[in-house]
């Protein structure tokens, strides 16, 4: 029993030390994962977008929980752009990998703006949410323009 626990702990340690890409069995799994994370992020960000644009009634609690989820999701996709995941059903352009520092900077910008929107959403103040919402959309768009095929 003790030996088994040691083996399990050793394996867990190795798994934690592996690069993120190795957490996916196949490159296609990484592609699916990152697309799923973007899809969920966009759904929850979009619900707040509807409030910001006056297309849905403002509901402070709903805005807060939607942006909390979007903020969590914003942290997920980028571990799934590892080497070798430029294959299959993806619109990611080759410069995601060839100009990776710029891609990481664009991703980080989005995460930072999303975190600010999350702070604004916690205030429950629509004007603060409106002010913080645009820069997030801008960061999404900037990265799409540079790194996503049409
Ligand atoms: C969204 C969404 C995006 C961004 C982008 C901003 O709500 O799904 O991908 O905003 O359209 O330009």
């Amino acid at each position: 029993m003790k030996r088994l626990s040691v083996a399990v702990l050793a394996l867990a340690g190795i798994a934690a030390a592996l690069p993120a890409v190795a957490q996916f069995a196949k490159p296609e799994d990484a592609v699916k994962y990152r697309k799923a994370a973007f899809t969920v992020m966009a759904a929850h960000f979009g619900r707040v977008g509807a409030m910001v644009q006056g297309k849905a009634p403002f509901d402070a609690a709903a805005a807060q929980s939607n942006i909390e989820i979007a903020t969590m999701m914003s942290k997920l996709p980028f571990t799934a752009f590892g080497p070798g995941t430029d294959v299959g059903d993806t619109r990611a352009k080759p410069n995601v990998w060839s100009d990776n520092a710029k891609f990481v900077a664009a991703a980080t910008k989005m995460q930072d703006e999303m975190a600010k929107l999350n702070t604004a959403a916690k205030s429950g103040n629509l004007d603060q949410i409106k002010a913080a919402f645009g820069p997030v959309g801008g960061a999404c768009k900037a990265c799409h323009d540079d790194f996503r095929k049409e």
Side-chain angles (χ1 to χ4, degrees):
M1 200 57 201
K2 185 155 178 257
R3 196 180 294 173
L4 181 64
S5 321
V6 170
V8 166
L9 281 175
L11 281 175
I14 291 165
L18 286 172
V21 65
Q23 293 171 14
F24 301 98
K26 305 191 294 289
E28 291 77 9
D29 293 346
V31 172
K32 261 193 249 174
Y33 175 96
R34 69 200 188 206
K35 288 166 81 171
F38 283 128
T39 298
V40 174
M41 178 167 70
H44 291 274
F45 181 66
R47 286 173 201 170
V48 177
M51 294 182 204
V52 163
Q53 291 160 22
K55 292 177 184 161
F58 178 57
D59 175 335
Q64 185 177 332
S65 74
N66 278 305
I67 290 303
E68 185 71 28
I69 293 166
T71 302
M72 275 194 284
M73 301 316 292
S74 75
K75 298 170 186 167
L76 300 184
F78 304 101
T79 61
F81 283 92
T85 64
D86 55 340
V87 292
D89 187 17
T90 179
R91 283 190 287 165
K93 288 185 188 169
N95 61 340
V96 166
W97 294 274
S98 64
D99 198 0
N100 192 252
K102 191 178 169 194
F103 176 68
V104 170
T108 303
K109 169 80 175 157
M110 181 279 288
Q111 292 167 329
D112 290 350
E113 295 298 348
M114 188 72 89
K116 288 186 209 164
L117 176 58
N118 197 25
T119 301
K122 288 189 164 98
S123 77
N125 179 292
L126 181 57
D127 288 333
Q128 284 188 42
I129 294 170
K130 279 183 180 169
F133 189 88
V136 181
C140 296
K141 183 176 186 309
C143 196
H144 293 162
D145 288 350
D146 287 344
F147 295 103
R148 190 178 73 172
K149 292 174 201 155
E150 291 304 311

